[in-house]
Structure formats: C-alpha cells, structure tokens
Amino acid sequence: KERQPRKGLLSVILVIALVVTGCSITAYCVNEHWEDKAEHMTKSLDRRVEELQQQLDKISVAGGSPVVIPNDGSAMTPAQLYASSVNSVVAISTTVQANSYYGPTEASSAGSGFILSEDGYVITNHHVVDGATNLAIYFPDTDKEYRAEVVTVDETHDLAVVKVVDPSFNGFNNIKYGFKCEAEDVGTGVFVLGYPLVQSMGTEIKLTTGVVSSRSGFQGDQSQYQISAPVQPGNSGGPLYNDNGE
C-alpha cells in the first residue's frame, strides 16, 4: 500500500515526459516545415526577380520609364503611350500685349503643342499664340528652350503651326505617332498629354485618360470631339491620342 503513491508518481512523471517529448517533436516538425517553406519562397522570389531583370534588359526605355512599346499596331496601354510620345509634346510660352489700369503692359500665357516634323514645326491652338509678341517652345523638365515664330493659323478651327527659328536648335527626335483622318467612334478610349497649370502643378507632363463622349463639339461642330478626359488651362494645343497611338 505504501508503494502505490510511488507508482502514481512514476506514472505522472512518465506522462509529463511523454508530453514534453511530444511537444519537442511537434515544435521540431513545425520548425522544419516553416524553414522548408521559407526556403522555397525565397528561391521562388529570387527566380521571379531574375526573370523580371531579364525582361527589363530587353525592353525599351523612354520618358524615364521602362515600358515595352508594341510595334505591330496593337493597342497600347496608357503607360506605353506615355513612353512612346512623351518626348514629342512641348510646352509653349508667349508674351502678349495687354491693357491694365496703369496702361499698356505685357502678360505671359502658356499652352501645349506637339511636334509635326523633325525640322522644327509644331502644331498648337490658335488661341495659345494669338497676339503673341514673343514665342518660345520648351520642355519644362529640361533647360531646352527655343525661340519660335507663327507660320500659319486657322482661326475657324483654332489651329496654328509654329516653327522653331532658334540658332541653337538641332532638330527634334523621331516622331513616334501617326495621324488618323477618320472620326473615332463614341466610347473609344483616348489619352491627353500636355502641360496644364505649370506654375502650380509642376513641370512634369501630365497624362489624363477618358473616352470619346460625342463625335461633335460645341453646337454640333463636326470638327470637334467631346471627351471625358480631364483637361485644364495649359492643355490647350496638346495632342489627343487613341489607344493605337494615333
């Protein structure tokens, strides 16, 4: 009878030992599992990073962003369109004569334009250059600024062609876009590039997206679109693209 407590004590000790041993085995297995899983995830991530690096080594870089630009006429994403066309859009600054309370004075205004040819022709809106006494074409994020002159205007359709006449001008880069003569359908995706509100919104070119809302403009004007892409002062004269970069 006196030995029974010892048997009970031994049983308790044995149970505790088994529990501790079981927990140790379980902890070891769990640890091994997570170590294996972590190693697998690390190797998988390393492979993915290597694949991405190989892709980056093969793609075109334009506008500071690495983007693959299709050359088969297929639709482009906004990022691809931006990379393809960002260097073909310019800012335009003008000085015009104005009347104030104190008499005649000079005022400055700004707009956008896009390259028409590599030898310095740029198209913009007539109202951007109307009455300008000084005209300059520039890329706000660089130090390049060129003196320009108005070549011809079409007041009816609010268009103007200007040409760089600065002696330091050596030509524009290759044009990456084409021109479409047919009207787009309502609902077609469109993209706008330009330099709106440079003084307050910064000098980086802005991209906005939308769709063709109507194939006619103000009072049914068939030479204009209505679009849902946001535009602001300073966007005037900038290009409107479809998703083929036209």
Side-chain angles (χ1 to χ4, degrees):
K1 292 182 180 179
E2 293 178 356
R3 292 180 178 179
Q4 289 179 356
R6 291 183 179 181
K7 289 183 178 181
L9 179 60
L10 289 173
S11 299
V12 171
I13 293 173
L14 181 59
V15 169
I16 293 175
L18 289 172
V19 169
V20 171
T21 302
C23 291
S24 299
I25 293 173
T26 302
Y28 175 78
C29 292
V30 170
N31 186 55
E32 284 291 312
H33 169 75
W34 283 108
E35 285 183 355
D36 291 343
K37 189 171 183 178
E39 184 178 0
H40 174 74
M41 292 174 64
T42 300
K43 290 181 179 179
S44 178
L45 181 60
D46 288 341
R47 285 196 301 271
R48 181 57 179 155
V49 170
E50 185 177 354
E51 290 172 358
L52 289 173
Q53 186 59 53
Q54 290 174 353
Q55 293 178 19
L56 288 174
D57 292 339
K58 295 179 181 179
I59 61 180
S60 302
V61 178
S65 301
V67 179
V68 179
I69 301 173
N71 56 9
D72 57 358
S74 59
M76 290 193 286
T77 66
Q80 291 170 332
L81 179 76
Y82 177 90
S84 175
S85 304
V86 63
N87 293 323
S88 298
V89 183
V90 301
I92 297 176
S93 65
T94 65
T95 302
V96 298
Q97 294 291 332
N99 294 317
S100 69
Y101 177 79
Y102 300 100
T105 185
E106 289 188 338
S108 61
S109 62
S112 302
F114 59 98
I115 298 171
L116 198 59
S117 66
E118 297 172 24
D119 57 350
Y121 285 92
V122 172
I123 191 166
T124 185
N125 284 136
H126 171 253
H127 73 262
V128 171
V129 299
D130 186 26
T133 55
N134 290 296
L135 176 62
I137 289 174
Y138 67 108
F139 296 93
D141 56 346
T142 72
D143 294 328
K144 295 180 181 179
E145 179 173 321
Y146 305 109
R147 186 169 59 87
E149 294 179 350
V150 177
V151 175
T152 186
V153 299
D154 180 349
E155 296 184 33
T156 302
H157 298 100
D158 193 22
L159 296 173
V161 175
V162 302
K163 188 180 190 302
V164 177
V165 293
D166 199 299
S168 65
F169 177 68
N170 294 317
F172 290 123
N173 295 327
N174 293 334
I175 298 173
K176 302 290 185 179
Y177 50 82
F179 295 90
K180 185 171 182 179
C181 299
E182 299 83 10
E184 294 286 6
D185 293 327
V186 172
T188 298
V190 292
F191 311 91
V192 175
L193 283 173
Y195 293 96
L197 302 172
V198 171
Q199 293 184 347
S200 59
M201 295 181 64
T203 59
E204 184 179 356
I205 192 170
K206 307 300 187 295
L207 168 71
T208 57
T209 64
V211 298
V212 174
S213 304
S214 173
R215 292 174 51 154
S216 59
F218 180 67
Q219 295 183 342
D221 188 343
Q222 296 296 313
S223 67
Q224 300 176 349
Y225 288 126
Q226 294 183 47
I227 61 173
S228 62
V231 292
Q232 301 181 74
N235 272 119
S236 294
L240 176 69
Y241 297 97
N242 61 16
D243 55 13
N244 289 321
E246 301 172 314

